């Protein structure tokens, strides 16, 4: 857009290429500096560093991510020694907040065992397999304060300590918080109110911190379902004032990939979806295999194939939702998404045009060989060692299959999913003689924070979908 300016060079480790070399140093206030030494050839990823009253610890990981090693660092010499190691045939999940120590010196970690992500203290699981641990927030004395849930749509606050396991929150919703110096702060999002409610608990008293955030002006009409034989968590949103018996075109609105959920007991998760519903759509949001909160096996179902499982789950949940909501018109189904959701949207019209009749694909990954090392290789392996996994998950070879309207949207300054993804798919579609639309966003990175751009982008999507579906 500005040829008079020197282009910005961004270092980007695409799958299969060299990673940056990572080093770690300890700097003292008197100007001294000590290099921390570990086997960086074996473990090229530095995950985190933790320095508490007990130890200076670092966590490192090999490129294949099948191990996670906790090392103790001698602050005077920089030498390291092993403390703890986890291994897994697929990958070892990185969980925020660990490792940590209790006041008495117990090592706190999180491990996948017995089909669950469990809190572990000194090598012993202390949470039941029914509870999926999300992250550790604080350690107060010998009590560990963490987030976890039995139902993936709700994330609660819990403590474990000398008196055992205890739930800090009991209501549905998405919670976070802190527990420090005898003060508990709880932040809650829910379906029964806008924004976040924050309360402070100390010495038997409770205060609510006032929020001055503007109300959204939208009240999502959302119903949470458990759909299909895999119990897929699904949200259905109908237009405000919808009269039963009136057929509605359907808009699938997924993310659908690892590390992110869309189906949560939190009103803020559905504001955009409700806005689309109020434009005349029945909106369906599905968290399929690969998304968090359902346990290790559910997450690892996408290992070696980021396409088929996630697409199959969108189709299965759509059909299950239509059985409960007969107003869903399955002859007019659109799908929209951004990032992994954009990949899923394009995938849907390319591989299942019998189900999906139009798609808006925002910032889509189209060729996983172009995406970054740590994310991509976790799921698909090294491209030289697993070329079939990359071929199964790529959209490029599917270009000739396109028979449905497809709008590709991409920020030309995107340094996460680089614009080459959309350009390569568009080129392949053109070579195959397949009509499609491309909307380039000049100066926009992976997300679209500019208000005018974001607003008009929503309006353009609605217009495209209505035209494509004959609404």
């Amino acid at each position: 857009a500005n040829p008079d300016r020197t282009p910005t060079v961004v270092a980007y480790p695409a799958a299969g290429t060299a990673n940056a070399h990572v080093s770690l140093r300890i700097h003292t206030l008197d100007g001294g500096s000590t290099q921390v030494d570990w086997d960086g050839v074996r473990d090229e990823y530095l995950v985190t560093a933790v320095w508490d009253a007990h130890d200076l610890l670092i966590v490192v990981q090999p490129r294949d991510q099948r191990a996670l090693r906790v090392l103790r660092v001698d602050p005077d010499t920089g030498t390291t020694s092993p403390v703890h190691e986890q291994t897994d045939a697929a990958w070892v999940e990185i969980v925020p907040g660990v490792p940590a120590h209790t006041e008495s010196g117990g090592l706190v970690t999180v491990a996948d065992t017995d089909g669950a992500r469990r809190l572990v203290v000194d090598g012993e699981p202390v949470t039941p397999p029914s509870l999926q641990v999300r992250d550790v927030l604080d350690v107060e004395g010998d009590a560990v304060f963490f987030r976890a849930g039995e139902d993936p749509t709700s994330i609660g606050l819990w403590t474990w300590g000398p008196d055992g396991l205890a739930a800090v929150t009991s209501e549905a919703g998405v919670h976070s918080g802190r527990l420090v110096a005898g003060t508990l702060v709880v932040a809650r999002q829910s379906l029964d109110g806008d924004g976040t409610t924050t309360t402070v608990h100390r010495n038997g008293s409770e205060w609510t911190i006032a929020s001055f955030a503007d109300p959204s002006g939208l009240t999502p009409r959302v119903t949470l379902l458990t759909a299909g034989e895999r119990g897929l968590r699904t949200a259905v949103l109908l237009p405000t004032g919808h009269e039963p018996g009136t057929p509605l075109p359907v808009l699938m609105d997924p993310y659908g990939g690892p590390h992110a959920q869309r189906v949560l007991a939190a009103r803020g998760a559905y504001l955009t979806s409700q806005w689309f519903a109020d434009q005349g759509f029945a909106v369906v949001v599905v968290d399929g295999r690969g998304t968090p909160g359902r346990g290790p096996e559910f997450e690892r179902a996408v290992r070696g194939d980021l396409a088929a499982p996630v697409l199959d789950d969108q189709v299965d949940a759509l059909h299950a939702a239509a059985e409960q909501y007969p107003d869903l018109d399955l002859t007019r189904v659109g799908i929209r998404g951004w990032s992994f959701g954009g990949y899923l949207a394009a995938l849907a019209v390319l591989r299942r045009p019998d189900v999906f009749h139009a798609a808006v694909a925002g910032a889509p990954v189209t060729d996983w060989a172009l995406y970054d090392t740590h994310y991509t290789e976790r799921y698909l392996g090294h491209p030289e060692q697993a070329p079939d996994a990359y071929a199964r998950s790529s959209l490029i070879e599917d270009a000739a299959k396109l028979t449905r309207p497809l709008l590709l949207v991409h920020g030309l300054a995107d340094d996460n999913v680089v614009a080459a993804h959309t350009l390569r798919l568009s080129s392949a579609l053109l070579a195959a003689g397949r009509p499609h639309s491309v909307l380039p966003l000049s100066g926009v990175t992976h997300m679209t924070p500019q208000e005018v751009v974001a607003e008009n982008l929503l309006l353009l999507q609605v217009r495209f979908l209505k035209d494509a579906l004959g609404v």
Side-chain angles (χ1 to χ4, degrees):
N2 299 285
D4 56 313
R5 300 180 190 172
T6 301
T8 300
V9 177
V10 178
Y12 192 96
T17 67
N19 276 315
H21 293 286
V22 179
S23 61
L24 182 66
R25 304 189 71 89
I26 301 169
H27 295 277
T28 57
L29 296 180
D30 61 7
S33 180
T34 302
Q35 175 83 31
V36 176
D37 181 36
W38 79 92
D39 187 349
V41 174
R42 181 189 67 174
D43 298 320
E44 56 186 277
Y45 293 124
L46 175 63
V47 175
T48 191
V50 178
W51 202 342
D52 60 20
H54 295 276
D55 272 318
L56 169 56
L57 302 176
I58 64 171
V59 180
V60 296
Q61 188 179 58
R63 182 158 181 157
D64 66 13
Q65 301 179 54
R66 294 176 182 173
L68 206 60
R69 285 180 262 270
V70 180
L71 308 177
R72 179 179 291 109
V73 180
D74 184 329
D76 296 323
T77 65
T79 58
T80 56
S81 56
V83 173
H84 182 264
E85 180 175 326
Q86 297 180 52
T87 59
D88 189 274
W91 70 79
V92 180
E93 189 69 23
I94 295 171
V95 178
V98 293
H101 286 106
T102 64
E103 188 174 59
S104 58
L107 180 67
V108 180
T109 58
V110 174
D112 293 342
T113 179
D114 299 323
R117 187 151 295 144
R118 303 173 69 184
L119 185 70
V120 177
V121 179
D122 278 340
E124 292 295 326
V126 296
T127 53
S130 60
L131 194 64
Q132 303 291 343
V133 173
R134 302 302 189 106
D135 48 19
V136 172
L137 301 174
D138 285 300
V139 179
E140 172 84 335
D142 281 334
V144 182
F145 183 52
F146 62 98
R147 299 197 311 156
E150 295 177 322
D151 177 353
T153 64
S154 283
I155 304 174
L157 299 177
W158 297 73
T159 60
W160 177 88
D163 296 329
L165 182 68
V168 176
T169 56
S170 58
E171 299 174 295
V174 177
H175 298 80
S176 188
R178 298 298 306 270
L179 177 59
V180 179
T183 300
L184 170 66
V185 180
V186 175
R188 177 177 180 252
Q189 300 177 61
S190 67
L191 290 173
D192 52 21
D194 269 338
T196 301
T197 301
T198 305
T199 54
V200 180
H201 308 258
R202 183 174 175 84
N203 296 332
S205 298
E206 177 182 324
W207 302 268
T208 298
I209 298 178
S211 171
F212 297 96
D214 288 335
S216 66
L218 289 167
T219 302
R221 300 180 68 238
V222 57
T223 302
L224 301 184
L225 311 174
T226 300
E229 62 181 17
R230 285 184 288 277
L232 302 171
R233 277 19 181 217
T234 302
V236 177
L237 298 98
L238 302 178
T240 302
H242 170 68
E243 294 291 336
T246 305
L248 291 169
V250 182
L251 178 60
M252 302 292 287
D253 190 16
Y255 178 78
H259 295 286
Q261 287 177 260
R262 287 291 319 280
V263 184
L264 292 164
R267 182 177 289 185
Y270 304 104
L271 297 179
T272 301
S273 296
Q274 185 62 54
W275 183 85
F276 273 100
D278 288 344
Q279 311 312 305
F281 296 91
V283 179
V284 180
V285 186
V286 181
D287 284 344
R289 282 169 289 178
T291 58
R294 291 282 301 273
E297 182 179 354
F298 195 80
E299 294 179 22
R300 285 165 171 74
V302 298
R303 173 71 176 172
D305 189 349
L306 285 168
V310 298
L311 181 55
D312 288 348
D313 284 355
Q314 296 296 312
V315 174
D316 289 353
L318 169 65
H319 290 157
E323 291 179 0
Q324 297 191 47
Y325 288 85
D327 287 349
L328 271 60
D329 182 356
L330 296 187
T331 68
R332 295 181 295 167
V333 179
I335 182 170
R336 67 175 291 271
W338 201 269
S339 195
F340 194 100
Y343 163 72
L344 180 50
L347 179 73
V349 289
L350 287 168
R351 297 194 184 177
R352 293 301 304 270
D354 57 315
V355 175
F356 300 97
H357 307 102
V360 176
V365 177
T366 64
D367 181 354
W368 285 100
L370 287 175
Y371 201 56
D372 71 59
T373 53
H374 194 271
Y375 184 102
T376 310
E377 292 175 14
R378 170 183 296 180
Y379 306 109
L380 300 182
H382 194 287
E384 293 179 1
Q385 299 165 2
D388 291 347
Y390 283 79
R392 278 192 297 272
S393 305
S394 174
L395 302 182
I396 305 301
E397 296 302 319
D398 292 314
K401 300 176 183 177
L402 183 66
T403 59
R404 299 296 192 184
L406 170 62
L407 171 61
L408 299 168
V409 185
H410 218 120
L412 297 183
D414 195 331
D415 55 1
N416 181 355
V417 181
V418 295
H421 286 275
T422 284
L423 297 177
R424 286 191 183 183
L425 179 58
S426 178
S427 179
L429 290 166
L430 184 62
R434 301 302 181 186
H436 62 286
S437 302
V438 179
L439 175 60
L441 304 177
S442 178
V444 172
T445 55
H446 190 53
M447 305 309 290
T448 312
Q450 299 94 330
E451 289 186 8
V452 172
V453 175
E455 179 181 2
N456 287 321
L457 184 55
L458 290 173
L459 296 172
L460 285 168
Q461 290 179 67
V462 168
R463 187 179 310 157
F464 173 84
L465 289 165
K466 286 188 173 182
D467 289 345
L469 298 175
V471 178

